[in-house]
Amino acid sequence: MSPRNKVCILGSGNWGSTAARIIAENVTKLPSFDNTVKIWVYEEIVDGKKLTEIINTHHENVKYLPGHKLPHNVVAVPDAAEVVKDATHIVVVIPHQFIQHLLDTIHGSTRPDARAISLIKGIGISNQGMTTMTQIIHRTLAIPVSSLSGANIANEIAEEKYCETTIGCSDPDEAIVWRSLFNTPYFQVNCVNDVIGVEFCGALKNVVAVGAGFIDGLGLGNNTKAAIIRIGFLEMRRLAMHISGAQIQESTFMESCGIADVITTCYGGRNRRLAEEFVKTGKSMTQLEKELLNGQKLQGYLTAGEVHSYIDSRGVNDHFPLFTNIYQICYEGKPPHSIFDGLNVDFSNDTRTPSPAL
Amino acid sequence: MSPRNKVCILGSGNWGSTAARIIAENVTKLPSFDNTVKIWVYEEIVDGKKLTEIINTHHENVKYLPGHKLPHNVVAVPDAAEVVKDATHIVVVIPHQFIQHLLDTIHGSTRPDARAISLIKGIGISNQGMTTMTQIIHRTLAIPVSSLSGANIANEIAEEKYCETTIGCSDPDEAIVWRSLFNTPYFQVNCVNDVIGVEFCGALKNVVAVGAGFIDGLGLGNNTKAAIIRIGFLEMRRLAMHISGAQIQESTFMESCGIADVITTCYGGRNRRLAEEFVKTGKSMTQLEKELLNGQKLQGYLTAGEVHSYIDSRGVNDHFPLFTNIYQICYEGKPPHSIFDGLNVDFSNDTRTPSPAL
């Protein structure tokens, strides 16, 4: 009897390649899974050779995860539609601005019984509401979509340093399968049944990290940074509940995708770093994006704008003083020290009877 | 009409002197309080002069808070019984090992309508149960006792860097008064009605900081440290609930005394630092206390032992794998990397319907 299931990976950047390593090792121990793990690689030429050929010959993604061998059962394929066509489990891990184009490419090629999981960080919040990556994927492919997010710096995982992650999956049986694909002794997976709560955490934490960077730029201390992390974390939870109400579970915020990822992102990462530079140099965020990110957009800066558009259109700015201050410092020229204005908000009534996690 | 209330401070270390500065400024704006703030100073000779005389003449605690002037309405007194005798509000802020001796000294001198607040970090947990500082104070003085704790490095507060703190007070009216004595634009006070929850946070966070220091000593990254902080924080909450059940409120852990103080302590402070040295040098904790703390006891190391004694006597070690691992690494020679053993605990059922905060 041939294995029932087949997993594939869409995306071969730093995080996609790291996920491929973990999954390809795990499937060899899972009898219900085919051993081959196809990974879609956006074809590019590296040192005169196709990246797919390099990966399939040398078993290393020399461009995006150099120094870490991939298992031999990882097979790089340049055609995304070809990758998904026989897959029951589709892992989506590409930069969020490319998602719609990728979905259009594979639309019609996926199996009707397939399911997907999104490892993408980012969310679309506007004054019309918000759309998460799992919702965008589900809308095009009409299959169940789960989410995965956590305090997961890809290189540290590739070095097999202990960490945790969170899978949001609404079906308890499917959650077990996804967990079996990702869990390792050094990459510990917890499952919750709150798909979009996990996604909100992954997106909103970048705004808090911008605030933490301002504190570093102002040369303030540990107490102050901890206060900003605490208030930012509680505004994240409040905003997610404001947008999605009963769908969001408070307990999700205590998982790796929540509090742990906020902490990591506020002490490392480029959102924090650029915000620190913003205060120290007095340059605009756009200028710093040009100088330090080759013009790439800073996620926390973008999301701060989207969050503001949402809360401003609903007139609830007073309930989100930190997010409002961060927005005004980034976009409206308010001085960085105004980050403390009106922060004495009471969050103690935000909690309610929690729903049990999986 | 003379003011009804009079506040005094017992203890003039780094934190006591900082608290005196804040309170002495605040009382001048509070008509119901006498302007004079007596502070008990353990008399010692500094540069040939009595410390009380230096404080009363130069308005600076040159030994414990050098470089920061105290308001002129702070009056240093070497006799603790004299300090408390007309006080309605007693602030207790001394190292926890001296508390019983101090209480015996002032016993019989306090007004029957006085109330106290404890700023002391530390808790007594043994296999018989646990005793908090507010309970010890209440037992001797028979007056209501509140608690104050938060992400509060004294020097940063003395420099007026923004931070937050938490007051635990069971009487809502009294909470307002305590808040008015401590709150400033740069020292933001939130009140909760969970006195001992606040104290548990202040004591247990030091154990988590020892774990965080091990991670730094092992040279692991941000992901790993965030995972340890997350799990440690959830074991703190679980242990406080295990010991004191319904008295503890989950929401207390989201205040400054909880999550913010854990973060601060895991990134700075001597518990983290000694634990890092422990891993890097291979020396015993006792040896490091001698070398780096002049033989003073490390709070997190002590508390790790007390916590273990409690959970071991009740056979609930499996519910506290991180605290158990930290204990075994500190006291039983287990290798630091064993900190990750069996950490995949499910905390999602620890939450329950929260009690509203003040």
Side-chain angles (χ1 to χ4, degrees):
Chain A
M1 197 182 86
S2 65
R4 258 180 308 128
N5 296 315
K6 199 166 186 132
V7 58
C8 75
I9 296 164
L10 296 174
S12 57
N14 193 227
W15 189 202
S17 303
T18 303
R21 255 182 118 217
I22 290 174
I23 291 169
E25 274 178 26
N26 279 341
V27 289
T28 62
K29 295 166 230 152
L30 297 169
S32 69
F33 273 88
D34 191 286
N35 265 6
T36 301
V37 176
K38 285 189 194 160
I39 181 169
W40 172 60
V41 175
Y42 179 81
E43 192 69 281
E44 49 190 307
I45 303 301
V46 180
D47 294 333
K49 281 184 190 160
K50 287 180 177 172
L51 184 54
T52 52
E53 284 180 16
I54 298 173
I55 293 173
N56 291 332
T57 313
H58 300 289
H59 308 291
E60 184 177 334
N61 186 338
V62 292
K63 180 138 186 195
Y64 296 107
L65 193 65
H68 297 283
K69 288 286 173 192
L70 297 169
H72 289 208
N73 53 334
V74 173
V75 177
V77 177
D79 176 350
E82 163 69 21
V83 165
V84 296
K85 83 174 192 306
D86 52 1
T88 54
H89 290 74
I90 302 169
V91 178
V92 191
V93 48
I94 59 165
H96 78 288
Q97 60 269 34
F98 305 133
I99 184 69
Q100 196 56 58
H101 180 72
L102 174 69
L103 291 172
D104 294 340
T105 306
I106 63 174
H107 183 221
S109 302
T110 54
R111 287 169 53 149
D113 65 345
R115 63 223 67 183
I117 192 166
S118 165
L119 275 58
I120 305 172
K121 296 274 160 79
I123 208 165
I125 307 174
S126 70
N127 49 19
Q128 272 76 49
M130 66 91 208
T131 319
T132 70
M133 291 301 140
T134 61
Q135 290 171 327
I136 291 171
I137 297 168
H138 177 74
R139 197 189 291 154
T140 305
L141 303 183
I143 58 175
V145 190
S146 300
S147 55
L148 182 151
S149 187
N152 301 147
I153 299 165
N155 284 327
E156 293 184 9
I157 301 165
E159 289 165 19
E160 305 197 357
K161 291 176 172 171
Y162 182 94
C163 72
E164 301 182 299
T165 200
T166 312
I167 284 176
C169 179
S170 53
D171 180 314
D173 294 330
E174 278 193 27
I176 293 171
V177 179
W178 283 122
R179 185 177 186 280
S180 71
L181 288 170
F182 283 98
N183 195 68
T184 76
Y186 61 85
F187 189 61
Q188 290 285 307
V189 178
N190 284 345
C191 296
V192 298
N193 60 13
D194 176 9
V195 179
I196 63 173
V198 171
E199 295 182 277
F200 267 119
C201 288
L204 297 178
K205 59 122 200 266
N206 289 320
V207 182
V208 184
V210 170
F214 290 159
I215 301 306
D216 290 340
L218 288 165
L220 298 169
N222 275 322
N223 288 354
T224 313
K225 195 156 162 179
I228 293 299
I229 293 173
R230 186 189 85 84
I231 296 169
F233 175 71
L234 293 174
E235 288 197 11
M236 281 171 58
R237 191 176 74 175
R238 176 176 279 188
L239 181 61
M241 287 178 167
H242 194 276
I243 294 174
S244 296
Q247 280 187 270
I248 300 286
Q249 291 165 17
E250 289 155 38
S251 53
T252 302
F253 289 77
M254 296 317 300
E255 296 292 336
S256 177
C257 65
I259 189 63
D261 200 14
V262 174
I263 295 171
T264 297
T265 313
C266 287
Y267 280 89
R270 59 196 209 173
N271 287 286
R272 191 211 61 78
R273 187 167 58 89
L274 254 78
E276 181 178 6
E277 289 299 311
F278 175 87
V279 173
K280 285 184 171 169
T281 64
K283 292 176 182 172
S284 73
M285 279 288 183
T286 316
Q287 182 67 23
L288 290 166
E289 286 173 337
K290 274 190 202 135
E291 290 178 15
L292 301 171
L293 303 180
N294 292 317
Q296 227 186 309
K297 289 286 160 202
L298 188 72
Q299 191 72 52
Y301 175 55
L302 265 179
T303 308
E306 291 167 340
V307 163
H308 181 74
S309 146
Y310 176 87
I311 61 181
D312 197 47
S313 69
R314 277 151 184 82
V316 291
N317 309 53
D318 288 355
H319 297 269
F320 301 95
L322 181 63
F323 285 171
T324 300
N325 294 344
I326 291 170
Y327 170 81
Q328 291 177 334
I329 295 165
C330 284
Y331 289 90
E332 296 182 346
K334 280 190 78 174
H337 208 275
S338 70
I339 192 169
F340 304 117
D341 292 353
L343 288 192
N344 53 341
V345 174
D346 180 9
F347 293 99
S348 61
N349 293 318
D350 284 13
T351 49
R352 49 165 195 228
T353 313
S355 318
L358 286 183
Chain B
M1 197 181 82
S2 65
R4 256 181 309 131
N5 296 315
K6 197 164 188 137
V7 58
C8 74
I9 297 166
L10 297 174
S12 57
N14 193 227
W15 190 201
S17 303
T18 303
R21 256 184 116 216
I22 291 175
I23 291 169
E25 274 179 25
N26 279 338
V27 288
T28 62
K29 296 168 226 149
L30 297 170
S32 68
F33 272 88
D34 191 286
N35 265 8
T36 301
V37 177
K38 285 189 194 159
I39 180 168
W40 172 61
V41 175
Y42 179 81
E43 193 67 283
E44 47 191 310
I45 303 301
V46 180
D47 294 333
K49 284 185 190 158
K50 287 181 179 173
L51 185 54
T52 51
E53 284 179 15
I54 297 174
I55 293 174
N56 291 333
T57 314
H58 300 289
H59 308 291
E60 183 176 334
N61 187 336
V62 292
K63 179 140 186 193
Y64 296 106
L65 193 65
H68 297 284
K69 287 286 172 196
L70 297 170
H72 289 209
N73 53 332
V74 173
V75 177
V77 176
D79 176 351
E82 161 70 23
V83 166
V84 296
K85 84 174 193 308
D86 52 359
T88 53
H89 289 76
I90 302 168
V91 178
V92 191
V93 50
I94 59 164
H96 78 288
Q97 60 269 34
F98 305 134
I99 184 69
Q100 196 57 58
H101 179 73
L102 175 68
L103 291 173
D104 294 341
T105 307
I106 63 174
H107 183 219
S109 303
T110 54
R111 287 168 54 150
D113 64 344
R115 62 225 65 182
I117 192 165
S118 164
L119 276 57
I120 306 173
K121 295 276 159 78
I123 207 165
I125 307 174
S126 71
N127 49 18
Q128 272 77 47
M130 65 94 210
T131 319
T132 69
M133 290 301 140
T134 60
Q135 290 171 327
I136 291 170
I137 296 168
H138 176 74
R139 199 189 291 154
T140 306
L141 302 184
I143 58 174
V145 190
S146 300
S147 54
L148 182 150
S149 187
N152 301 147
I153 299 165
N155 283 328
E156 294 184 10
I157 300 167
E159 290 165 18
E160 306 198 357
K161 291 176 172 173
Y162 182 94
C163 73
E164 301 182 300
T165 200
T166 311
I167 284 176
C169 178
S170 53
D171 180 315
D173 294 331
E174 278 193 27
I176 292 170
V177 178
W178 284 122
R179 185 177 185 281
S180 70
L181 287 170
F182 284 97
N183 194 69
T184 76
Y186 61 85
F187 190 62
Q188 289 285 307
V189 178
N190 284 344
C191 296
V192 299
N193 60 14
D194 176 7
V195 179
I196 64 174
V198 171
E199 296 182 276
F200 268 118
C201 286
L204 296 176
K205 60 119 199 270
N206 289 322
V207 182
V208 184
V210 169
F214 290 160
I215 301 306
D216 290 340
L218 288 164
L220 297 168
N222 275 322
N223 289 353
T224 313
K225 193 155 164 179
I228 293 300
I229 294 173
R230 186 189 84 83
I231 296 168
F233 175 70
L234 293 173
E235 287 196 11
M236 281 170 58
R237 192 176 71 175
R238 176 176 280 188
L239 181 61
M241 286 178 170
H242 195 276
I243 295 174
S244 297
Q247 282 189 73
I248 300 286
Q249 291 164 20
E250 290 154 39
S251 53
T252 302
F253 289 76
M254 296 318 301
E255 297 293 336
S256 176
C257 65
I259 189 64
D261 199 14
V262 175
I263 294 171
T264 296
T265 314
C266 286
Y267 280 90
R270 60 198 208 172
N271 286 286
R272 190 211 63 77
R273 186 166 58 89
L274 254 76
E276 181 178 5
E277 289 300 310
F278 176 86
V279 174
K280 284 184 170 168
T281 64
K283 294 177 182 170
S284 72
M285 280 288 184
T286 316
Q287 181 67 24
L288 290 167
E289 286 171 339
K290 273 189 203 134
E291 290 179 15
L292 302 172
L293 303 181
N294 292 318
Q296 226 185 309
K297 288 286 160 202
L298 188 70
Q299 190 71 52
Y301 175 55
L302 265 180
T303 309
E306 291 168 338
V307 163
H308 180 73
S309 147
Y310 176 86
I311 62 181
D312 197 46
S313 69
R314 277 151 184 81
V316 291
N317 309 54
D318 288 354
H319 297 270
F320 301 94
L322 181 63
F323 285 171
T324 301
N325 294 341
I326 290 170
Y327 170 80
Q328 292 177 334
I329 295 165
C330 283
Y331 289 88
E332 296 184 345
K334 280 192 79 175
H337 208 275
S338 70
I339 191 170
F340 304 116
D341 291 354
L343 289 192
N344 52 340
V345 174
D346 181 8
F347 293 98
S348 60
N349 293 319
D350 282 12
T351 50
R352 53 171 191 222
T353 312
S355 317
L358 287 182

